[in-house]
Amino acid sequence: MYNPIVRTDYHSLPVLKRDEIDDIAERFLRDYQPDVFTNPTAIDIDGFLEGYLKATPDYQYLSNNMIYLGMTVFQDTNSIPVFNPYKNEAEYFSAKANTVIFDTRLVEEANQEHRYRFTAGHECGHLIFHRPYFLRQHRLRMQFGIDDDVILQCRRTDLPGAKKGRLKTDSDWLEWQANQFSGSFLMPKSAVMAIVNDYGTTPAGVYRALNEIEETFNMSTEAVINRLRNLGVLKAAVKDTTIPLLF
């Protein structure tokens, strides 16, 4: 099993550049699903979460309005707030460490598959990068008599998250890193750029590549656009024409 060595700051927050996350994601894939580089296909994110990272998935109504899509549990707890739609009230739920909880509607409702896949990749990013940070924060709070659970709730607005230039708080960086990992893992750079190179970086070429990447990796248009923007492909396409792109 691949175990990346990640630089951290003085309070265990990972220090990661986008290229480093791309590299880490590809190293995981070369260990977990290496065929994706010779025969591109959708990444088995459920198998990676359960079989590779040894996490336990669970499904609850995390809120009444789907404001929370996923949650990573780093320590055993019996006080996770969830929503009971049958009683129309909040209640508490128990979970073991290394549990990832998804909002039930991500798997029950139609047209949520892409959002579920990106959310699953996002939570994998938290499991890989952020356990030391949250355990350290928990220990510090315990020293001050603050007993709380080591969980991380991910809001719908965290996906795909803030632009890097606007990141200010630890929470901003945690969500940015998890988003970058999800995109990098579910749409690996080498495989994506091979498709882009086949079509070229003219607007028409990028549009065709975008469609193929969506279909190949089973991702949403929004996620693919963000991935191509992060890889600099959309900037290249814009430079090739004076006609505005639709994205």
Side-chain angles (χ1 to χ4, degrees):
M1 178 177 176
Y2 171 56
N3 185 26
I5 298 174
V6 177
R7 294 176 297 133
T8 60
D9 65 11
Y10 68 96
H11 56 161
S12 299
L13 180 70
V15 179
L16 290 163
K17 297 178 181 178
R18 184 177 284 124
D19 287 346
E20 291 175 309
I21 296 175
D22 279 340
D23 181 63
I24 289 170
E26 294 213 0
R27 286 174 180 266
F28 271 115
L29 284 167
R30 292 188 185 282
D31 192 41
Y32 169 67
Q33 192 175 332
D35 289 350
V36 72
F37 297 103
T38 55
N39 183 29
T41 189
I43 306 301
D44 179 8
I45 189 62
D46 291 322
F48 183 70
L49 177 70
E50 296 181 59
Y52 196 91
L53 296 182
K54 306 301 181 185
T56 301
D58 207 323
Y59 306 90
Q60 301 287 329
Y61 290 91
L62 295 178
S63 67
N64 66 330
N65 58 1
M66 283 190 77
I67 190 171
Y68 296 109
L69 298 181
M71 178 187 298
T72 298
V73 181
F74 293 103
Q75 181 174 293
D76 294 358
T77 177
N78 58 6
S79 57
I80 296 175
V82 296
F83 179 69
N84 186 327
Y86 307 105
K87 296 181 179 180
N88 196 34
E89 64 183 22
E91 58 188 25
Y92 289 101
F93 172 74
S94 298
K96 297 290 187 180
N98 219 42
T99 297
V100 173
I101 306 172
F102 299 98
D103 191 282
T104 300
R105 286 156 289 196
L106 286 176
V107 294
E108 286 186 346
E109 295 183 359
N111 303 318
Q112 293 288 342
E113 182 181 12
H114 291 152
R115 180 177 282 178
Y116 167 77
R117 286 176 56 75
F118 195 90
T119 301
H122 180 99
E123 301 305 326
C124 286
H126 285 313
L127 284 171
I128 290 167
F129 295 133
H130 301 144
R131 186 186 310 277
Y133 173 84
F134 279 98
L135 293 179
R136 181 181 185 277
Q137 294 299 310
H138 178 68
R139 288 194 298 270
L140 289 175
R141 288 192 289 268
M142 290 289 288
Q143 290 176 9
F144 288 93
I146 303 172
D147 187 8
D148 60 356
D149 295 313
V150 188
I151 62 175
L152 178 58
Q153 293 177 300
C154 296
R155 299 168 65 95
R156 183 169 56 200
T157 51
D158 292 333
L159 306 172
K163 294 182 179 180
K164 188 174 181 181
R166 299 175 185 172
L167 303 178
K168 296 180 181 179
T169 67
D170 283 2
S171 178
D172 291 339
W173 281 106
L174 293 168
E175 295 307 315
W176 181 84
Q177 290 167 359
N179 278 334
Q180 293 301 311
F181 180 81
S182 187
S184 297
F185 186 78
L186 294 171
M187 296 170 282
K189 180 178 179 179
S190 297
V192 166
M193 292 308 298
I195 294 173
V196 170
N197 290 336
D198 283 344
Y199 290 105
T201 57
T202 64
V206 171
Y207 181 75
R208 288 194 291 270
L210 187 154
N211 288 332
E212 183 168 331
I213 293 165
E214 281 184 58
E215 183 176 349
T216 299
F217 296 107
N218 192 17
M219 300 298 292
S220 69
T221 300
E222 179 186 10
V224 177
I225 287 173
N226 282 325
R227 184 69 172 130
L228 294 179
R229 182 177 292 118
N230 288 339
L231 291 172
V233 173
L234 294 186
K235 291 180 181 179
V238 170
K239 290 178 181 178
D240 284 351
T241 182
T242 57
I243 302 174
L245 295 176
L246 295 179
F247 42 81

